[in-house]
Amino acid sequence: MAESFLLSFQLNGEPVEVAAPPHYTLLEVLRYKLDLIGSKQGCDKGDCGACTVQIDRRPVLSCITLGVHVQGREVVTVEGLTRPGMHPLHDCFDKWVAAQCGFCTPGILMAAEAYLSAVGRKVTRGEVAEALASNLCRCTGYTKIVDAIVEASELMAAEDEGKDDHRRAGNPSKTS
Amino acid sequence: MLRLPRFGVVTPQTVEDVVAAINQPGARIIAGGTDLLPNLKHRLEQPALLVSLSQVEALRQVGRDDRAGVVRIGAGVTLTEISENHLVRQLYPSLARAAGIVASPSIRNMATIGGNINLDTRCRYVNQSEFWRSAIGGCLKSEGTLCHVVKGGRNCVAAMSSDCVPVLTTLDATVVLVGPAGERRVAIAEYYNTDGVRHINKEPGEFMTEVQIPVPKGPRRSAYAKWTVRKNIDFPLVSVAMRFDLDADSPDARMTDVRVCVGVLNAKPRLIRRTESLAGKRLSDRATVEALCQLVYKQSKPLENVPYEAPYRRKMIPVYTRRAIEKMLAS
Amino acid sequence: MGDFKKKSDGRDEAAESHWQLGKAHRKVDAVDRMRGIARYTDDIKLPGLLHGKIKRSPHPHARIVAIDVGKAEAMEGVHAVVTGRDFPVPYGVIPWTPDENALCVDKVCFVGDGVAAVAAIDEDTAIAACDAIEVEYELLPAYFDPEAALAPDAVQINPYAKKGNLSKHVKLEFGPVDQALEEADIVIKDDYFFEGTTHTAIEPHCAVANVETSGVLTVWSATQVSHYLHRELAKVLGMPAHRIRVIQPPLGGAFGGKSEPFDLEFCVAKLALMTGRPVKILYTREEVFYSHRGRHPMKMHYKTGFRRDGTITGVAAETIIDGGAYSSFGLVTTYYSGQLLTAPYVFPTYRFDSRRAYTNKPACGPKRGHGSVQPRFAIECQLDKAAVQLGMDPIELRRRNNLGADGVTVNEMKVGSNGFLECLERVEAASGWQDRRAELPYGRGLGIAGSTYISGTNYCVYPNEMPQAAVQITLDRSGRARVFSGANDIGQGSNTMLAVIASEELGLDLSDIRVLSADSDLCPIDLGAYSSRITLMVGNACLEAARGLRDKICASVARRWSIPAKRVTLTGRKALDMEDPERQISLTEAFVMAESDHGLLTAVGNYDTPKDRHGSYRGGTIGASPAYSFTAHVAEVEVDAETGIVTVTNVWVAHDCGKALSPRIVEGQMEGSVYMGFAEAIMEQHIVDAEHNGVHTGPSLLDYRIPTFQDTPDIHSLIVEHPDAQGPYGAKEAGEGPLHPIIPAISNAIYDAVGVRMNATPFSPPRVLDALESRRTLEADGAIAPHKDHPLAVPEVA
């Protein structure tokens, strides 16, 4: 019998070390070994997106990712989306009632956060649909999810601008 | 949860260490895992040891080698990276296109070009759980002795379902294999055979390190036509790659060389024959395009291997071929 | 009677004065789900937890000769093994048809039927133990077609069936329908087929059981009917209900797919009782497809008579229903296939003859729009065909048949409020029907359809004299309130609905209220989340409880202010004097006054259905509801005549929900309904492979294709409010009705686009191409003129 692996990686901004059997998927490592239950198991094999997490800022499907694959990498799960107050995505999903049963929501949030962070601007409904195409939702008809992500993209872009302004203001010598 | 079978995993850092590792008994390469892990969950293979490429940085490069006249793409480059790579987009737009529409965005972030080239064949009677297969007594590719697609068939016709392979075939790509005996290169058109059980001509102990694509020598147009029921997630049901070398960089140029390759028929991608008859003709000529579509149609006979009606798939192959050409010419 | 006094725009006059009703609420339980904190059933961990697995039959129909569990029991890490012999008592969610066992006893009836279960230290061991169980089968002939199963010489499938493979037969006739058809100016006759589809909630079924030292068994389950599960657990386990506690944790979608007990719940309970340790079973996605209970495939033959003015003279329907291996709600389904069709249009005469057959397939049951989505597809296509034949606008034809408010249907159902005409008007205007429809070129089209649905059923599945719903509310000097309800929030937002009602009456903010639901130890009994009953029934109970408390609080404040109680109102977290609004105190102060007067502040509310609204014939209670919702859809499609691909670009959905207590949640129900029905129209099919031993053709979310973000049309929700006297503040259902019209609306739009009738779902590209090919032949023969002056070309290849 193969022995457990000692995995070390960055998880939601903190270093973590965990021993897990080599045949555990990342989803099983998160849920069974770390009790991070936010990432959900929906389809068993990469067909639904409920298990979506970010590895090195890209959304991936943790149910078909080996745990050992994240050795030395940066993993962010829905539990990492917290901040003082509410994350704009949480706030907009809540406002639009974009989560009905909420089971697909953590995965959708991780895909959406990766996408919005990467583009850093207001996005269109069509762009959201394309970027979120790995994630299935059975409750909403996607309508309110798109509403929420489009609004969150504005808020996040405004935040980014605010940060840039702050950086410029705080360190004028590096403005260029 | 559908569980993986038990296995060991090693994560070598170098190509040499990978070769050493896969020459252990029961060893098997894993790259992105998007094809292999569902298959393992379905118990289609039960390797004792998985050799992960996740730590081999050398396999993650894309670069132009002008001396050899090729672009080299490491086996570990993800499909997202290929679809976004400026060199690929500039020189091989059909490859950027194909890689950029595989399955879904999250899958493409994980899946590698090496994995897509070595994707196992697929069939509605194979890609099911062990329990499901037991209800039909298995098949040639799994636990049984019968083919459920071709009654009485003795050759497995599971379908080559990669989006990138037909494209790479039209681009005359070469795969580089490394094994205990060193490195060897195989033209991608020679890399596959018609046995759906083992459709890749690779020796045990070898693994693919990169794919090399010749830099185009003259004006060229290329396209990839694909149809799936849903816009995302699904494997291709119609898959046709095309490359047209031209005598001038204009919409009205004459073709000097034509390659068309069709996927998802049986285990081997089908390079369409007699396309040389089109040399000297113009793509802007509607009759020429129709003649090409007829060639493709006559030589492409989908089977009931993947989950969609084969007669419909056959009818659609020339339709999507023609549409892809029209779109290509319009852009 | 039915309609409250309304303004011209259909809104309740009092709307402006509402403190909470009609606002865009945030849900009371969404944030924890979004943050990954809420524990769904599979997220429950208990010390010593064992993992269970169920061994399933690889045969569609076989007698169990022997089961040898010896090797499995002997395996290290295996704690217990059970088989059907451990569950001899049959159950069924409908008490009249208990025809399944927790695990198969003497025979298996479909590929995937459960035969044994194990509990082990981990999942891998449990799987290995299942593999080690040896079952000897004697194969029996299997039937995958309901008509083949109904043949006189067919082998009986269900072990408890009373009449061969006939699961249920309902034939009801209202008026001289044959005569009405004979006297009609035109009669439309056609055959329809609705393919089976399944719910596909993203959360797979899961259950956990634990036994307290006192012997009380707790079962946590992803169920939408805690109470029926509670009853059946008691029956099958032979334990009194007071020794069992059922808890429904946050639930990841249901849609009818979790609305009866399943094998895993009985198995975890039994295995926990045997081992003394907590046990969990989580279905694989494949097992979810086997548990099914989804949309019944129906073969329908319809004859509909019309006068030249477009009015219906009579409807005659014959329906064969493919039930799968067990009854589930099939008795009700068979009635619903006819009973729910008699509005929004007047049927002067009507007959339906529906037979449900057992087949060797996963059992069908209630999927969103239970039993009535299929016949609705047929009748709405019939109306469209009549409109074409009569040269009439199909919306106008529907208007001319409108039943209206306070109507009585041909089958004696009493309809109260009815906003159907407004629904038609709203979708007609929003879609630009009048201007655009005539101008859309070949390949593009608009289609209309309407429907009605029940807001709960007047009778519980088991006869009793107790209320259908009950709610308890307590509050205290802290200024917080607790609402206790047995209702199952399955994502549809019923917990929020209860908080909205409580806050509306008590003046509290939603965040001041904790809704505790679906725990049989803590909450009053409720029947569960099915037949769109919760807003109306549990909402009414909650309203009664909240008003009881409000009266006490207002009286205590009024006494101290020496004014009549009716001058005190509770709103905005304050109690105030309506005639002197400057006089106000915080609600917390008001609660202190009331608690000083009464002690603990608590009130209960009960709701029972009116018993005078159903038919006086046998079966006349089935389909009777306190109130009916109404819906109209316009679908816009683009049909690619070369590929047969139908793209649904836009759907306008107008739904009369009586009163939208929380409009954004109502819109979400409308959008989700449209999505689910659209998927059934275009791509979904839950079928078995008759050529290959009856295996499911693709029990995964890869092969059972459900639409992604990019496949889904733009959905435009239009809420219509015709308050009903039976509903809380006039509210009716919104969760299932809005699904019905989309399938016929798309079919009718396809006709408008390219001139072919799609009478069988799904409207897949090969089927559309086949239909176009048939039309091409007719055009070539000169039998029909080109549609929209667009002659069908001969294909270039083939």
Side-chain angles (χ1 to χ4, degrees):
Chain A
M1 185 58 55
E3 284 173 15
S4 279
F5 231 85
L6 187 65
L7 269 178
S8 47
F9 58 104
Q10 289 287 118
L11 178 58
N12 298 331
E14 308 273 350
V16 63
E17 282 204 349
V18 58
H23 71 296
Y24 268 38
T25 61
L26 176 58
L27 180 64
E28 287 164 327
V29 172
L30 293 169
R31 290 181 58 83
Y32 297 171
K33 294 292 172 185
L34 297 165
D35 203 24
L36 290 180
I37 53 159
S39 306
K40 300 300 184 196
Q41 136 74 24
C43 70
D44 294 319
K45 59 183 194 68
D47 303 327
C48 79
C51 67
T52 305
V53 303
Q54 295 173 6
I55 299 179
D56 297 341
R57 307 203 57 72
R58 298 255 198 195
V60 299
L61 306 172
S62 65
C63 78
I64 50 168
T65 299
L66 281 187
V68 299
H69 186 79
V70 301
Q71 180 71 37
R73 294 179 193 246
E74 269 184 52
V75 176
V76 180
T77 68
V78 74
E79 289 88 348
L81 213 59
T82 52
R83 53 155 81 174
M86 260 175 131
H87 190 284
L89 273 165
H90 279 150
D91 192 27
C92 294
F93 268 61
D94 197 31
K95 174 181 163 189
W96 284 98
V97 192
Q100 285 189 24
C101 81
F103 201 78
C104 71
T105 311
I108 285 181
L109 288 170
M110 296 324 287
E113 201 280 336
Y115 174 61
L116 296 186
S117 295
V119 298
R121 59 171 169 78
K122 185 182 177 188
V123 296
T124 66
R125 299 183 74 85
E127 288 172 327
V128 171
E130 191 177 346
L132 273 288
S134 313
N135 297 75
L136 298 175
C137 166
R138 197 59 165 168
C139 293
T140 59
Y142 303 110
T143 311
K144 297 272 188 274
I145 297 176
V146 178
D147 289 332
I149 294 174
V150 168
E151 186 171 322
S153 74
E154 283 185 78
L155 298 178
M156 286 172 69
E159 274 186 1
D160 280 354
E161 255 174 47
K163 274 184 208 154
D164 288 347
D165 292 346
H166 184 71
R167 274 198 289 275
R168 276 194 289 275
N171 197 349
S173 63
K174 285 201 178 166
T175 311
S176 60
Chain B
M1 200 175 312
L2 196 57
R3 300 274 296 171
L4 285 166
R6 287 173 196 260
F7 46 69
V9 180
V10 289
T11 55
Q13 312 262 328
T14 66
V15 169
E16 294 70 36
D17 289 347
V18 173
V19 173
I22 59 168
N23 280 282
Q24 296 175 61
R28 210 250 187 242
I29 292 281
I30 179 167
T34 55
D35 181 44
L36 181 64
L37 292 185
N39 287 353
L40 293 185
K41 287 187 174 190
H42 282 161
R43 303 297 191 269
L44 285 166
E45 294 180 50
Q46 301 227 27
L49 181 71
L50 291 188
V51 180
S52 167
L53 302 184
S54 60
Q55 305 291 327
V56 190
E57 277 307 310
L59 300 177
R60 298 175 59 89
Q61 313 301 321
V62 179
R64 184 170 174 150
D65 180 344
D66 278 325
R67 211 160 45 110
V70 297
V71 168
R72 300 154 65 120
I73 303 174
V77 178
T78 67
L79 298 177
T80 299
E81 287 162 350
I82 286 176
S83 70
E84 291 173 351
N85 183 279
H86 71 279
L87 205 54
V88 175
R89 293 172 74 103
Q90 185 195 338
L91 295 177
Y92 315 111
S94 59
L95 178 62
R97 166 85 183 147
I101 57 173
V102 169
S104 72
S106 297
I107 297 270
R108 297 194 291 272
N109 288 338
M110 309 158 70
T112 64
I113 187 69
N116 202 244
I117 290 171
N118 291 285
L119 190 77
D120 202 352
T121 55
R122 299 187 63 81
C123 179
R124 59 172 85 189
Y125 302 105
V126 173
N127 296 98
Q128 306 285 357
S129 72
E130 193 175 25
F131 163 77
W132 190 99
R133 293 193 306 272
S134 77
I136 62 160
C139 71
L140 292 174
K141 193 171 165 68
S142 62
E143 301 84 2
T145 54
L146 290 176
C147 179
H148 300 287
V149 177
V150 179
K151 296 274 185 288
R154 297 172 70 178
N155 180 49
C156 171
V157 293
M160 194 294 301
S161 300
S162 159
D163 286 298
C164 294
V165 165
V167 173
L168 290 166
T169 305
T170 62
L171 298 177
D172 296 333
T174 299
V175 299
V176 179
L177 303 172
V178 177
E183 188 179 287
R184 73 180 175 109
R185 302 143 67 81
V186 183
I188 197 157
E190 307 298 317
Y191 194 52
Y192 303 96
N193 62 61
T194 56
D195 177 7
V197 176
R198 195 176 294 275
H199 76 304
I200 288 175
N201 297 320
K202 189 173 63 171
E203 300 300 324
E206 281 186 327
F207 91 102
M208 190 195 121
T209 53
E210 68 180 32
V211 58
Q212 300 182 350
I213 315 175
V215 173
K217 294 201 173 70
R220 174 184 282 182
R221 296 284 185 278
S222 66
Y224 178 59
K226 173 180 181 173
W227 178 69
T228 51
V229 174
R230 296 183 291 183
K231 292 197 173 73
N232 298 280
I233 302 178
D234 298 351
F235 281 93
L237 296 168
V238 169
S239 168
V240 185
M242 292 154 259
R243 165 197 140 192
F244 307 96
D245 285 358
L246 306 174
D247 67 355
D249 192 8
S250 88
D252 203 33
R254 288 173 191 279
M255 293 184 274
T256 57
D257 196 7
V258 177
R259 291 267 201 296
V260 180
C261 185
V262 182
V264 209
L265 299 174
N266 57 14
K268 191 176 177 183
R270 172 143 314 177
L271 192 59
I272 298 300
R273 286 169 283 118
R274 296 194 291 280
T275 52
E276 60 278 7
S277 63
L278 299 165
K281 297 188 174 160
R282 292 184 167 93
L283 267 180
S284 55
D285 173 18
R286 197 173 160 77
T288 300
V289 174
E290 278 315 316
L292 171 68
C293 291
Q294 280 292 344
L295 273 182
V296 174
Y297 175 74
K298 287 190 176 138
Q299 296 177 41
S300 305
K301 290 172 185 151
L303 301 166
E304 295 288 350
N305 44 12
V306 294
Y308 212 80
E309 291 112 286
Y312 178 77
R313 294 205 291 130
R314 179 157 197 226
K315 235 184 271 180
M316 289 302 110
I317 286 173
V319 171
Y320 284 96
T321 302
R322 191 189 72 239
R323 288 182 175 192
I325 294 170
E326 285 167 358
K327 194 173 162 197
M328 177 187 83
L329 293 175
S331 66
Chain C
M1 265 286 284
D3 283 20
F4 282 172
K5 206 170 163 195
K6 293 192 310 288
K7 287 187 177 177
S8 55
D9 66 359
R11 285 183 169 272
D12 184 345
E13 263 180 10
E16 293 76 17
S17 66
H18 288 311
W19 147 243
Q20 283 294 341
L21 291 192
K23 303 265 164 71
H25 304 110
R26 293 175 178 233
K27 285 170 69 174
V28 295
D29 50 7
V31 175
D32 279 359
R33 295 175 188 227
M34 294 192 278
R35 293 179 65 195
I37 294 167
R39 284 196 182 259
Y40 294 72
T41 309
D42 185 37
D43 302 328
I44 293 170
K45 276 193 169 182
L46 294 169
L49 183 69
L50 299 176
H51 295 268
K53 275 279 164 192
I54 296 172
K55 185 176 181 74
R56 298 189 178 277
S57 162
H59 303 296
H61 199 188
R63 203 168 65 78
I64 298 171
V65 178
I67 302 183
D68 184 353
V69 301
K71 282 184 196 153
E73 281 178 331
M75 287 173 68
E76 193 180 330
V78 172
H79 285 253
V81 182
V82 288
T83 70
R85 302 269 169 221
D86 296 292
F87 302 97
V89 178
Y91 70 92
V93 68
I94 301 294
W96 318 117
T97 55
D99 66 358
E100 53 188 314
N101 291 79
L103 294 169
C104 295
V105 182
D106 293 319
K107 62 186 299 200
V108 293
C109 298
F110 69 96
V111 173
D113 225 352
V115 291
V118 302
I121 47 159
D122 56 34
E123 286 169 279
D124 289 341
T125 307
I127 293 164
C130 276
D131 290 344
I133 296 171
E134 289 166 8
V135 188
E136 189 187 332
Y137 294 101
E138 179 190 318
L139 303 189
L140 297 167
Y143 307 94
F144 307 114
D145 177 78
E147 280 159 304
L150 290 174
D153 57 344
V155 175
Q156 182 174 316
I157 295 167
N158 187 290
Y160 300 94
K162 295 189 183 84
K163 288 183 195 162
N165 289 324
L166 182 66
S167 152
K168 182 69 190 172
H169 184 195
V170 178
K171 184 175 179 182
L172 288 171
E173 184 157 347
F174 307 94
V177 63
D178 291 319
Q179 190 191 334
L181 290 171
E182 255 174 48
E183 290 166 9
D185 292 322
I186 64 165
V187 176
I188 306 289
K189 287 183 206 175
D190 227 329
D191 292 299
Y192 299 88
F193 177 67
F194 201 110
E195 186 57 274
T197 64
T198 199
H199 319 82
T200 330
I202 306 296
E203 178 199 31
H205 301 55
C206 185
V208 180
N210 187 42
V211 184
E212 293 173 20
T213 45
S214 66
V216 171
L217 168 73
T218 300
V219 175
W220 293 263
S221 179
T223 180
Q224 59 190 106
V225 287
S226 304
H227 177 59
Y228 294 150
L229 172 60
H230 196 170
R231 282 171 53 86
E232 299 306 289
L233 280 170
K235 179 182 173 189
V236 170
L237 298 172
M239 289 172 72
H242 69 262
R243 307 296 288 162
I244 302 172
R245 175 183 185 185
V246 174
I247 300 173
Q248 174 239 309
L251 191 82
F255 316 110
K258 296 170 179 169
S259 63
E260 58 196 284
F262 291 93
D263 53 14
L264 81 171
E265 291 149 330
F266 299 108
C267 288
V268 291
K270 188 78 182 175
L271 291 165
L273 288 164
M274 287 167 69
T275 60
R277 286 175 64 167
V279 180
K280 176 191 285 184
I281 296 182
L282 167 68
Y283 277 168
T284 62
R285 175 55 57 181
E286 183 177 1
E287 289 177 293
V288 175
F289 282 95
Y290 298 148
S291 70
H292 190 41
R293 316 287 156 151
R295 186 90 68 219
H296 287 74
M298 290 192 195
K299 286 184 204 174
M300 301 168 282
H301 178 68
Y302 269 70
K303 286 188 279 192
T304 314
F306 296 86
R307 289 187 200 88
R308 243 168 260 295
D309 65 2
T311 54
I312 297 167
T313 65
V315 178
E318 280 172 57
T319 302
I320 301 281
I321 304 173
D322 185 348
Y326 300 104
S327 274
S328 174
F329 283 83
L331 182 154
V332 177
T333 315
T334 312
Y335 274 103
Y336 277 8
S337 71
Q339 287 287 71
L340 300 190
L341 202 59
T342 54
Y345 315 112
V346 175
F347 291 3
T349 64
Y350 180 42
R351 177 177 65 232
F352 71 93
D353 184 346
S354 297
R355 288 183 298 157
R356 182 183 191 267
Y358 290 113
T359 53
N360 292 108
K361 303 180 185 181
C364 298
K367 181 181 167 190
R368 200 173 202 169
H370 179 194
S372 62
V373 171
Q374 304 94 319
R376 180 58 57 186
F377 166 52
I379 194 71
E380 295 290 331
C381 290
Q382 293 279 98
L383 295 182
D384 212 64
K385 290 167 190 176
V388 169
Q389 203 167 322
L390 294 167
M392 188 179 288
D393 181 317
I395 294 183
E396 177 57 24
L397 182 137
R398 284 170 170 80
R399 277 195 191 103
R400 291 188 183 185
N401 286 289
N402 182 43
L403 175 68
D406 300 322
V408 178
T409 67
V410 69
N411 55 343
E412 301 176 33
M413 305 298 166
K414 317 259 183 318
V415 172
S417 79
N418 182 342
F420 183 58
L421 282 184
E422 189 183 337
C423 291
L424 285 175
E425 279 163 28
R426 296 283 296 277
V427 293
E428 183 180 34
S431 66
W433 177 272
Q434 292 302 342
D435 300 330
R436 293 176 62 227
R437 186 158 171 269
E439 287 173 13
L440 287 176
Y442 179 85
R444 293 180 62 190
L446 294 175
I448 177 90
S451 69
T452 185
Y453 200 65
I454 52 177
S455 305
T457 63
N458 269 7
Y459 294 86
C460 174
V461 304
Y462 66 95
N464 69 77
E465 307 269 295
M466 293 172 279
Q468 294 238 10
V471 166
Q472 181 181 27
I473 306 177
T474 72
L475 46 82
D476 60 39
R477 64 196 86 171
S478 68
R480 286 184 66 74
R482 292 164 290 279
V483 178
F484 297 90
S485 158
N488 298 87
D489 191 317
I490 60 177
Q492 87 283 41
S494 60
N495 283 349
T496 304
M497 179 275 295
L498 294 174
V500 167
I501 290 176
S503 70
E504 171 69 20
E505 293 300 320
L506 296 168
L508 289 163
D509 196 78
L510 289 194
S511 62
D512 300 330
I513 297 169
R514 181 74 60 194
V515 180
L516 296 129
S517 62
D519 178 333
S520 66
D521 264 15
L522 298 182
C523 306
I525 285 173
D526 184 68
L527 305 180
Y530 69 98
S531 77
S532 278
R533 56 180 291 286
I534 291 184
T535 293
L536 189 141
M537 298 192 185
V538 189
N540 271 328
C542 184
L543 183 57
E544 182 182 305
R547 284 186 174 160
L549 278 174
R550 186 196 62 187
D551 291 349
K552 281 186 190 173
I553 295 155
C554 290
S556 291
V557 174
R559 192 165 65 83
R560 283 163 180 80
W561 288 350
S562 303
I563 58 173
K566 65 177 194 293
R567 265 176 60 182
V568 179
T569 188
L570 309 179
T571 186
R573 280 176 158 162
K574 290 182 171 59
L576 55 86
D577 178 354
M578 277 184 284
E579 291 182 12
D580 176 13
E582 295 299 302
R583 177 146 74 173
Q584 52 173 262
I585 54 172
S586 74
L587 270 187
T588 307
E589 291 171 84
F591 290 2
V592 166
M593 293 174 187
E595 197 176 344
S596 307
D597 291 351
H598 300 283
L600 174 65
L601 293 165
T602 184
V604 298
N606 290 291
Y607 174 75
D608 205 1
T609 47
K611 302 299 188 213
D612 60 349
R613 300 171 69 79
H614 57 262
S616 53
Y617 51 92
R618 182 177 162 83
T621 56
I622 303 182
S625 175
Y628 296 83
S629 74
F630 293 89
T631 314
H633 285 187
V634 168
E636 179 171 5
V637 303
E638 291 177 14
V639 182
D640 183 330
E642 191 179 27
T643 62
I645 291 174
V646 176
T647 305
V648 183
T649 55
N650 286 282
V651 178
W652 293 270
V653 45
H655 179 72
D656 169 22
C657 65
K659 166 76 192 164
L661 306 183
S662 190
R664 216 163 249 168
I665 294 178
V666 170
E667 285 170 7
Q669 289 303 302
M670 294 162 68
E671 290 154 1
S673 291
V674 168
Y675 163 84
M676 191 164 277
F678 148 78
E680 299 186 63
I682 295 297
M683 61 178 75
E684 292 184 18
Q685 32 190 349
H686 188 273
I687 49 181
V688 303
D689 184 344
E691 306 289 306
H692 289 91
N693 211 29
V695 289
H696 192 291
T697 52
S700 71
L701 290 184
L702 184 63
D703 292 335
Y704 186 87
R705 302 176 180 105
I706 69 173
T708 70
F709 272 87
Q710 281 194 300
D711 301 305
T712 303
D714 287 338
I715 304 167
H716 313 278
S717 295
L718 308 160
I719 294 175
V720 171
E721 294 180 311
H722 283 237
D724 194 289
Q726 298 288 333
Y729 312 102
K732 308 187 284 190
E733 75 88 34
E736 302 187 72
L739 187 149
H740 292 69
I742 187 62
I743 298 120
I746 291 172
S747 180
N748 295 340
I750 292 170
Y751 180 80
D752 187 42
V754 293
V756 300
R757 287 290 177 192
M758 300 309 298
N759 290 342
T761 67
F763 315 139
S764 66
R767 286 188 180 161
V768 174
L769 275 195
D770 284 350
L772 283 165
E773 189 52 43
S774 302
R775 185 181 172 95
R776 190 187 336 268
T777 308
L778 291 172
E779 281 186 23
D781 295 348
I784 51 172
H787 188 69
K788 293 194 182 187
D789 296 327
H790 180 94
L792 283 165
V794 176
E796 293 181 16
V797 178

